[in-house]
Amino acid sequence: ELMCIIHPDLDEASFNQAAEKISGWITELNGKIEKTDIWGRRRLAYIIRKQREGQYILFTMSMPPSSITGLEQNLRFLEPLMRYMITVVE
């Protein structure tokens, strides 16, 4: 699973563009997206980049472990992405 928190000030088109960019990186790195869940705008537990809210999106995916490093490198430089977390689900 990949959980992303995207900047709350983005309009819907920019949010969708960022989500498409992330899903494109997953497929480029031999991953397969099984489900995309858009949770919408939620209040953060603590302030991140002077923001109290974020737009959440959850990708359920299958990906080779060797490709995770490449995905993290791409995610690190995506400007509207405030936080991300990749977890293994059994």
Side-chain angles (χ1 to χ4, degrees), residues 18 20 30 50 55 68 79 84 88:
E20 287 174 16
N30 301 322
K50 300 180 183 175
Q55 297 184 64
I68 298 294
E79 185 66 33
Y84 67 90
V88 177

Side-chain angles (χ1 to χ4, degrees), residues 21-86:
K21 190 176 279 192
I22 294 168
S23 61
W25 287 332
I26 292 169
T27 54
E28 280 179 19
L29 295 167
N30 301 322
K32 181 183 161 207
I33 298 175
E34 297 163 6
K35 186 177 172 186
T36 303
D37 250 350
I38 298 175
W39 290 9
R41 187 182 294 251
R42 304 239 174 162
R43 187 167 174 84
L44 300 172
Y46 54 90
I47 296 174
I48 301 173
R49 290 195 207 164
K50 300 180 183 175
Q51 299 296 320
R52 293 191 178 274
E53 292 184 333
Q55 297 184 64
Y56 284 72
I57 185 166
L58 174 68
F59 295 96
T60 306
M61 62 183 185
S62 56
M63 184 175 228
S66 58
S67 300
I68 298 294
T69 307
L71 179 62
E72 285 184 330
Q73 287 175 348
N74 289 333
L75 291 172
R76 228 177 273 136
F77 295 110
L78 186 61
E79 185 66 33
L81 187 65
M82 294 175 14
R83 290 282 191 277
Y84 67 90
M85 183 170 69
I86 300 173

